[in-house]
Amino acid sequence: MTYLQKLAAIVNDTIAPAAQATDRDSAFPRIAITALGEAGLLGLVSASTVGGMGLGLAEAAQVVERIAEACPSTAMVVTMHYCGTTVLEKFGNEATRQDIAAGHHLTTLAWSDTGSRSHFWAPVGSAHQEGNEVVLDCSKTMVTSAGEANSYVWSTCPVAATGASTLWQVDSKLAGLSEPKFFDGMGLRGNRSSPLTAKSLRLSNSAMLGTDGGGFDIMIGTVLPVFATLIASCSIGLMEASLKSSCAHVSGNKLEHLGTTLADLPTIRAYIARARIQADMARTLRDDTIAALAAGREDAMLRVMQVKVAAAEAALQVTDTAMRVCGGAAFRKDVGVERYFRDARAASIMAPTSDVLFDFIGKAVCGMPVFG
């Protein structure tokens, strides 16, 4: 059975049936994550040498997109797991890598600090040496899978070196970690994106991922391409779901006094056409981003910056169109549009936000240093 066949069974039997309750109750999709782990899909990007599937970004994008069609909250959890796994595959210990590959370990990123917020590349939390241990004191604003993940790829200021940041593998059960506020959001309600605080949290020096002060290069060079591509895939998946729901509604509902369906109205069809084009353009850019990264093309990092913002902004417009063409019925949860409308709001304000990316892209196009 291929990974997509395994995924299809889990989406149809587990993820989709629970999606409304996941949203309604702001419930972490633990059953779905367990099923994905048992099927080996949490180890999709883990190396075959540690028992993983050994697949890459293209396959991860397909997994995330398909999950997002059913439940964007679950797709976000998987996205952040793949991002964290990408770091741990390069810099983590073998035992953790084996656990991830076996589907027993869920990881995530903990980057956005309270003091620097969406400027995730510039943490303000401290890490200082005390004897043979490192002590962390910092607070994160939003951490997907907070309190649910087995580990966090955590960022702080460097201990002693120059540089913007240092990354750490933080066990979620360590003393000193707390979740000061439970996540109760407008959208992506099941991804438990709560704040986390580390107070006098003690780590061994071996918990450092990469070098002291080397976090920025890992964030931008290793993680950002994966993160941007997979967040875009979330947006693409929920756009696809919105289009399917809205097309089903306008094709299946009649203006009985006229003997026509809503889809018989040229205005409705024009709205649907524009939304279809926007979704397809986002998918095309996503696929070209993956191709650019695989080929090491000169424009690869530009595509990385473009794909997240393009898909996020398209999702805002496509889900708005879905609400518009379905009219008053769209406000009902059973039509299946308003949940995606709410979930689509997240990507544009998720660091790096659309506004930040527009600035970065403008700098790149103008030949200026992006982070200068």
Side-chain angles (χ1 to χ4, degrees):
M1 185 179 294
T2 69
Y3 76 95
L4 286 176
Q5 289 172 325
K6 293 179 180 179
L7 177 65
I10 295 170
V11 169
N12 294 333
D13 298 341
T14 303
I15 297 175
Q20 286 193 8
T22 296
D23 175 72
R24 181 190 66 234
D25 302 335
S26 195
F28 187 80
R30 174 53 62 186
I31 294 175
I33 296 304
T34 298
L36 290 167
E38 291 175 348
L41 291 165
L42 292 185
L44 185 90
V45 299
S46 297
S48 58
T49 54
V50 292
M53 289 190 177
L55 299 177
L57 183 56
E59 293 84 2
Q62 292 300 316
V63 168
V64 167
E65 179 183 336
R66 182 64 188 91
I67 294 174
E69 283 191 49
C71 180
S73 288
T74 304
M76 183 57 61
V77 171
V78 174
T79 288
M80 300 309 283
H81 170 75
Y82 287 158
C83 289
T85 298
T86 299
V87 179
L88 294 174
E89 271 295 293
K90 292 189 71 171
F91 304 104
N93 61 72
E94 187 165 346
T96 300
R97 294 174 60 211
Q98 289 175 341
D99 281 348
I100 291 173
H104 302 151
H105 186 111
L106 181 70
T107 191
T108 192
L109 303 181
W111 285 3
S112 295
D113 274 24
T114 302
S116 52
R117 306 187 72 81
S118 64
H119 293 192
F120 67 87
W121 57 89
V124 297
S126 69
H128 65 275
Q129 195 78 41
E130 282 192 9
N132 294 323
E133 295 180 313
V134 175
V135 181
L136 272 56
D137 285 285
C138 42
S139 59
K140 302 296 181 179
T141 56
M142 300 181 80
V143 179
T144 296
S145 305
E148 297 283 352
N150 298 97
S151 68
Y152 308 110
V153 176
W154 194 286
S155 63
T156 67
C157 289
V159 178
T162 58
S165 63
T166 297
L167 299 182
W168 309 88
Q169 180 180 331
V170 174
D171 188 307
S172 64
K173 305 303 181 186
L174 286 176
L177 276 177
S178 63
E179 184 180 356
K181 185 186 298 183
F182 187 80
F183 179 67
D184 185 12
M186 171 183 169
L188 297 182
R189 288 175 50 76
N191 84 145
R192 195 163 172 180
S193 191
S194 300
L196 286 179
T197 298
K199 187 173 178 61
S200 300
L201 187 150
R202 294 182 174 272
L203 298 174
S204 68
N205 289 319
S206 63
M208 184 183 293
L209 299 169
T211 61
D212 190 27
F216 178 86
D217 289 340
I218 299 171
M219 288 176 167
I220 303 304
T222 300
V223 180
L224 184 59
V226 176
F227 173 78
T229 303
L230 297 187
I231 292 296
S233 297
C234 285
S235 295
I236 292 164
L238 66 85
M239 280 190 279
E240 194 65 36
S242 297
L243 277 161
K244 288 178 180 177
S245 295
S246 55
C247 286
H249 178 78
V250 300
S251 298
N253 285 272
K254 289 186 175 182
L255 298 169
E256 293 188 6
H257 64 298
L258 299 176
T260 60
T261 66
L262 297 177
D264 287 323
L265 295 171
T267 302
I268 295 291
R269 295 199 302 272
Y271 275 123
I272 293 291
R274 283 193 289 267
R276 180 75 267 170
I277 292 168
Q278 288 173 310
D280 287 347
M281 288 174 67
R283 179 179 284 104
T284 300
L285 180 58
R286 191 274 311 274
D287 293 346
D288 188 62
T289 301
I290 293 171
L293 289 165
R297 278 176 14 205
E298 189 174 324
D299 63 343
M301 190 52 68
L302 178 61
R303 287 288 184 264
V304 166
M305 293 187 291
Q306 289 173 328
V307 71
K308 177 183 179 292
V309 65
E313 296 302 303
L316 293 177
Q317 296 177 48
V318 168
T319 55
D320 183 74
T321 295
M323 292 289 290
R324 182 185 294 266
V325 300
C326 292
F331 285 78
R332 301 200 315 262
K333 293 183 182 296
D334 62 292
V335 174
V337 170
E338 63 86 29
R339 173 163 59 91
Y340 294 101
F341 176 85
R342 288 185 286 105
D343 288 347
R345 310 298 107 180
S348 66
I349 57 172
M350 191 177 299
T353 66
S354 288
D355 288 333
V356 167
L357 284 170
F358 281 132
D359 182 42
F360 285 175
I361 293 165
K363 286 180 177 179
V365 172
C366 291
M368 301 166 63
V370 171
F371 290 95

